[in-house]
Amino acid sequence: DIASLLNDIGSIYYKKGDYKKALEYYKKSYEVRKIAYIDNPNHPEIAYSFNCIGNVYYKKCNYKKALEYLEISYKIRLIVYA
């Protein structure tokens, strides 16, 4: 699907250390998933998007933003898997 493809492109940029481009593609992936799962904002794929975005902010040493996104991912996963 398109969201996974965008996420994969983001992952390539992440591995190359191009965090600006990684963030761009992870956010695009999130936007597609947000629409795809409009009836289920707590879908695991939404949590995965937040996790990826949080990891980029962590690598960029923006710990406040990283924590924000990673906590959202965590809360969604608690709802899904609890």
Side-chain angles (χ1 to χ4, degrees):
D1 70 270
I2 293 172
S4 294
L5 179 59
L6 291 167
N7 199 83
D8 290 345
I9 294 169
S11 293
I12 291 169
Y13 282 116
Y14 182 88
K15 288 180 190 270
K16 290 176 62 176
D18 188 342
Y19 302 123
K20 182 178 179 182
K21 289 293 260 186
L23 191 58
E24 176 186 334
Y25 279 91
Y26 286 149
K27 285 185 174 184
K28 285 180 182 181
S29 176
Y30 165 70
E31 290 300 325
V32 171
R33 287 176 172 148
K34 185 171 70 170
I35 293 166
Y37 301 112
I38 196 162
D39 293 330
N40 185 7
N42 294 320
H43 193 280
E45 292 293 319
I46 299 288
Y48 184 66
S49 287
F50 284 125
N51 196 83
C52 291
I53 293 167
N55 285 334
V56 172
Y57 281 120
Y58 178 81
K59 284 290 196 176
K60 293 177 73 172
C61 298
N62 187 337
Y63 302 119
K64 182 177 179 181
K65 283 286 235 192
L67 191 57
E68 176 186 331
Y69 280 94
L70 293 172
E71 283 180 341
I72 293 169
S73 179
Y74 173 69
K75 288 175 184 175
I76 292 171
R77 289 168 196 237
L78 279 178
I79 291 167
V80 171
Y81 300 113

